[in-house]
């Protein structure tokens, strides 16, 4: 197995063809952690719609003001808002050779629109990695999640704790606990996932684009499985 931690270790494989990598799975499945690693290895931008919204909220934009109350309740932001934001982002030059989506698409409408976007951007292929995790583990992962304020690096106090409690190993910045990672909001996020996002599994399966990944294992093992799938995608 190739060194899965090497930056740019698989750059030629996906960028050469122009590839949309989509991470699909419930909140807490590990999409953010794995997306960071894939982006680093294949030199593709990591596009997290959740992070984009949080950035808008922090900057106090109109879009942020619309998204904030919905996110606080664990509901999805309307498709039209998400799609406008995504189109803007992937029109930037760093997305020409592809991207890694984390948290998008989340509805059938978003998936239909993404198909059009990929055609317009002449991306060679789409690959959907479905991270499969049982529901009990999700709650533990979400309540234990801590995120570096500066770098966005993700920890988990149960599974992958930082060396010094509350601070990032990489740059010493403070770790934050997202407000929507509280038990009160997690239930609504999981049920929004079941209603609106889970149908995408069948949607992508029917199109032959879905690869399921056992995401119950620890993060490095999951990364190895994903790298195996993506390196093999060369043969598509
Ligand atoms: P998670 O995947 O762990 O739930 P995210 O950071 O991806 O967390 O998303 C946080 C919130 O942002 C969601 O609960 C939702 O309100 C909003 N959001 C993110 N991506 C989308 C999307 N593609 N469509 C609609 N709402 C979204």
């Amino acid at each position: 197995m190739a060194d899965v931690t090497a930056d740019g270790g698989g750059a030629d494989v996906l960028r050469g063809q122009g590839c949309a990598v989509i991470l699909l799975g419930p909140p807490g499945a590990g999409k953010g952690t794995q997306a960071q690693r894939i982006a680093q290895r294949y030199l593709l931008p990591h596009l997290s719609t959740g992070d984009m919204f949080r950035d808008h909220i922090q900057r106090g934009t109109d879009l942020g003001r619309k998204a904030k109350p919905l996110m606080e309740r664990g509901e999805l932001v309307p498709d039209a808002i998400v799609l406008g934001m995504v189109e803007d982002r992937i029109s930037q030059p760093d997305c020409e050779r592809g991207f890694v989506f984390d948290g998008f698409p989340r509805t059938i409408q978003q998936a239909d629109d993404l198909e059009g976007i990929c055609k317009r951007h002449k991306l060679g292929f789409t690959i959907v990695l479905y991270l499969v995790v049982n529901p009990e583990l999700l709650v533990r992962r979400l309540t234990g999640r801590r995120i570096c304020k500066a770098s966005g690096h993700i920890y988990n106090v149960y599974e992958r704790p930082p060396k010094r409690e509350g601070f990032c190993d990489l740059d010493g910045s403070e770790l934050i606990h997202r407000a929507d990672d509280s038990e009160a909001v997690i239930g609504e996020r999981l049920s929004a996932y079941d209603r609106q996002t889970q149908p995408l599994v069948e949607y992508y399966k029917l199109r032959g684009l879905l690869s399921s990944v056992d995401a119950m294992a620890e993060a490095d093992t999951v990364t190895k499985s994903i790298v195996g799938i993506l390196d093999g995608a060369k043969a598509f």
Side-chain angles (χ1 to χ4, degrees):
M1 172 62 65
D3 176 5
V4 295
T5 60
D7 286 8
D12 302 342
V13 180
L14 300 182
R15 279 164 63 90
Q17 307 173 69
C19 182
V21 179
I22 295 170
L23 284 155
L24 183 63
K31 299 187 297 293
T33 300
Q34 298 302 329
Q36 283 176 350
R37 295 172 178 205
I38 298 166
Q40 222 171 16
R41 178 175 164 84
Y42 297 95
L43 300 183
L44 294 170
H46 169 197
L47 309 185
S48 156
T49 42
D51 286 350
M52 292 181 206
F53 284 128
R54 283 184 284 277
D55 180 54
H56 275 279
I57 292 172
Q58 208 169 13
R59 289 187 287 123
T61 67
D62 261 8
L63 199 153
R65 271 190 290 279
K66 285 183 191 140
K68 191 169 186 251
L70 297 162
M71 289 174 74
E72 282 172 352
R73 292 199 297 270
E75 294 169 24
L76 295 191
V77 177
D79 290 335
I81 296 180
V82 183
L83 285 159
M85 183 179 75
V86 166
E87 272 267 29
D88 271 2
R89 177 64 187 91
I90 66 177
S91 302
Q92 291 172 23
D94 64 326
C95 292
E96 260 169 30
R97 313 305 317 230
F99 30 78
V100 182
F101 267 127
D102 152 17
F104 178 88
R106 252 177 159 98
T107 64
I108 299 279
Q109 181 65 53
Q110 292 178 17
D112 281 342
D113 281 38
L114 179 61
E115 215 174 302
I117 292 174
C118 288
K119 277 198 191 118
R120 284 201 292 288
H121 288 260
K122 299 193 171 53
L123 293 172
F125 71 95
T126 301
I127 186 160
V128 182
L129 300 163
Y130 172 38
L131 303 187
V132 183
V133 179
N134 82 24
E136 297 80 69
L137 188 60
L138 294 176
V139 177
R140 185 178 150 87
R141 282 193 178 167
L142 290 168
T143 52
R145 174 156 71 181
R146 301 290 182 276
I147 303 165
C148 171
K149 217 172 164 178
S151 67
H153 194 75
I154 302 168
Y155 296 86
N156 188 288
V157 296
Y158 309 118
E159 296 175 19
R160 276 174 299 122
K163 292 196 184 86
R164 187 168 147 233
E165 197 186 321
F167 297 94
C168 181
D169 293 348
L170 304 181
D171 59 17
S173 301
E174 194 189 333
L175 300 182
I176 53 164
H177 188 201
R178 265 170 50 181
D180 63 345
D181 280 345
S182 65
E183 279 195 56
V185 185
I186 288 171
E188 182 48 44
R189 284 165 65 201
L190 292 174
S191 91
Y193 173 83
D194 283 341
R195 283 192 315 271
Q196 292 165 280
T197 310
Q198 181 65 25
L200 291 178
V201 171
E202 204 51 34
Y203 177 100
Y204 283 120
K205 204 186 273 175
L206 285 171
R207 285 163 174 72
L209 300 176
L210 194 85
S211 294
S212 296
V213 178
D214 173 5
M216 302 279 291
E218 49 122 22
D220 288 351
T221 310
V222 178
T223 307
K224 280 189 187 138
S225 311
I226 291 178
V227 166
I229 293 168
L230 293 180
D231 283 355
K234 209 179 358 186
F236 273 20

